[in-house]
Amino acid sequence: MSEENIQETLKDYAVYMKNITKVFPKVVANDNVNFAVKKGEIHALIGENGAGKTTLMNQLYGLYKPTSGEIYVFDKKVDFKGPSDAIKAGIGMVHQHFMLVDNLTVAENVVLGSEPKKGILFDLKFAKKEVKELSERYGLKVDVDAKIEDIPVGMQQRVEIIKTLYRGADILILDEPTAVLTPQETNELFEILRALKNDGKTIIFISHKLKEVLEISDTITVMRLGKVTGTVKTSETNEKELANMMVGRNVVLSIERPPTTLGKSIVKVENIWVKDNRKLDAVKDLSFEIKEGEILGIAGVAGNGQTELAEALSGLRKIESGSYMFNGKEITNLSVREIRELGISHIPEDRQRRGLIPEFPVYFNLILSQHYKEPFANRGFLNFDEIKKYSHSLVKKFDVRPPDIYNLAGNLSGGNQQKVILAREIGSSPKFIIVSQPTRGLDVGAIEYVHKELINLRLNKGAVLLISMELEEILSLSDRILVMYEGRSMGEFENGELTIEEIGLMMAGKRIEEIKVLEKV
């Protein structure tokens, strides 16, 4: 096809990526991918962990160069040497982890690297005027004088969007944009995206949240194992079909939580205080209890003390004051081994730092904390026959890929590293399990399996503390929910007692009592 014919074919497209292949050592991340985005649409790009969607977008943004294939932006063939070339071509990318300088103001962050000058000096007054006009035009409410460290994550995300618009972006790539937002902030973001679309902007929305994708997008492209499995109009598809395209089989999207008879109170936490790495109070006067056969979900935006709570309860962090009881016994500040010996397991948030020894093979990682016990050890010597037999069964049950127990854990993808940890911690049939972000980096099929295993633990009288940034996951699995904000409890309630909007207000710092008073007014 001639260049003229290609341009005629692509006149309606903002982006056309043709036969894109990207090869890393031992991995084909993108395999002959074709991806086309029409001008002025919101196009969702979805897929399981490791499907290749972020790699594809990193090539569009100039962070990677394709091994082979062609990229067209607004009818023109491009060969980006780096992100600066992509920005000049009208492409902006808002990364999942914001690229902002905490001690600078909103206006200073937006113009950083492209500062307006008055002579040789930075014209801050003009910068503030420009940022304010941009924010008002698109309904991106921000305080141009506020420091980034003093504003919530929802506003920080707006700053990132304004930053791309300030640099002239007509195509915006948003990578997992709702991962750290409350439901209200998500709704506000969607209003902003619709306003941008109405102004003629083209938006590529990378996500794994199918409900959100169906709500905000016009078109959806699904990737699996580095290839595109389909592109569909949003109005003509549904969650079930999308999940099938992502995983290659039918997936149960909504797990059943059968009624169960609660047993005795097994975990009791009273007025605990825990400090973070900066020696500041991260958990403040927190109390709750969990009974046998119960899942207590901890909801909240990331960074509100959930990580420190999980580490304190698993023995990794000191409890400064307060009481931690298990089965009627005081266990405050016992060692990690002493806590695990009681039948308490922990799925950590940071799998590489807290959950695995990357330099050790999979089989050894699967018996960590049990390596000194029978049948895995006898008189100080490891019983490799038993270790490998046990490891083979767990790898098969939890679908760890590749199913090679001799492979180093560090060589596995993030999702499969998570499966190894889940296999070890759930496979030990704990009495109490502390679960932090259990499905981060997993595809919908693996998520289905993890959720079933947690429900099975509950049915077998296990107590579960579930900490997740995914409110949908909390609502799906929990019997009761506690919302944390700035280290404190905003309130505790039975699942189903409050609406998503009410929970969102609690996640933003409103106490349950305040919400109920407001509703009566």
Side-chain angles (χ1 to χ4, degrees), residues 55-213:
T55 300
L56 186 69
M57 289 301 97
N58 282 340
Q59 290 168 90
L60 178 58
Y61 191 57
L63 286 165
Y64 295 153
K65 197 172 177 62
T67 305
S68 62
E70 300 171 347
I71 300 175
Y72 295 84
V73 176
F74 295 121
D75 303 348
K76 293 179 182 176
K77 187 175 180 180
V78 297
D79 182 18
F80 296 148
K81 301 293 188 292
S84 59
D85 289 347
I87 291 167
K88 287 175 189 172
I91 299 171
M93 188 166 183
V94 177
H95 299 271
Q96 186 174 349
H97 302 289
F98 304 147
M99 309 286 187
L100 299 172
V101 182
D102 283 351
N103 60 353
L104 295 183
T105 67
V106 167
E108 289 166 341
N109 267 278
V110 170
V111 303
L112 191 63
S114 305
E115 296 89 344
K117 298 286 177 63
K118 197 172 187 177
I120 60 170
L121 300 174
F122 170 37
D123 192 344
L124 178 60
K125 185 177 179 182
F126 184 75
K128 286 159 65 169
K129 177 175 173 288
E130 289 270 283
V131 173
K132 191 173 182 183
E133 286 176 359
L134 259 180
S135 67
E136 288 174 352
R137 178 178 174 183
Y138 294 106
L140 290 151
K141 297 176 186 174
V142 293
D143 177 355
V144 295
D145 293 310
K147 286 191 175 182
I148 296 298
E149 61 193 1
D150 296 328
I151 63 177
V153 288
M155 192 176 288
Q156 289 181 30
Q157 188 175 66
R158 291 178 206 166
V159 176
E160 284 280 23
I161 294 172
I162 294 170
K163 203 165 77 171
T164 65
L165 296 172
Y166 178 79
R167 285 158 177 73
D170 289 309
I171 300 166
L172 276 75
I173 306 165
L174 304 178
D175 191 0
E176 298 285 358
T178 65
V180 294
L181 302 184
T182 67
Q184 282 82 359
E185 288 171 330
T186 297
N187 290 336
E188 289 169 7
L189 172 65
F190 285 1
E191 288 303 313
I192 290 163
L193 297 185
R194 292 182 184 109
L196 290 167
K197 174 189 166 182
N198 291 337
D199 197 57
K201 304 296 183 187
T202 302
I203 297 161
I204 301 171
F205 186 96
I206 306 173
S207 182
H208 68 278
K209 299 180 180 180
L210 299 183
K211 281 189 173 70
E212 292 181 357
V213 163

Side-chain angles (χ1 to χ4, degrees), residues 397-424:
K397 183 178 179 183
F398 282 79
D399 191 27
V400 178
R401 301 180 193 178
D404 178 5
I405 65 168
Y406 303 99
N407 196 3
L408 299 185
N411 291 341
L412 299 177
S413 70
N416 281 291
Q417 288 179 358
Q418 186 77 337
K419 287 181 184 179
V420 170
I421 297 168
L422 289 160
R424 182 184 67 228

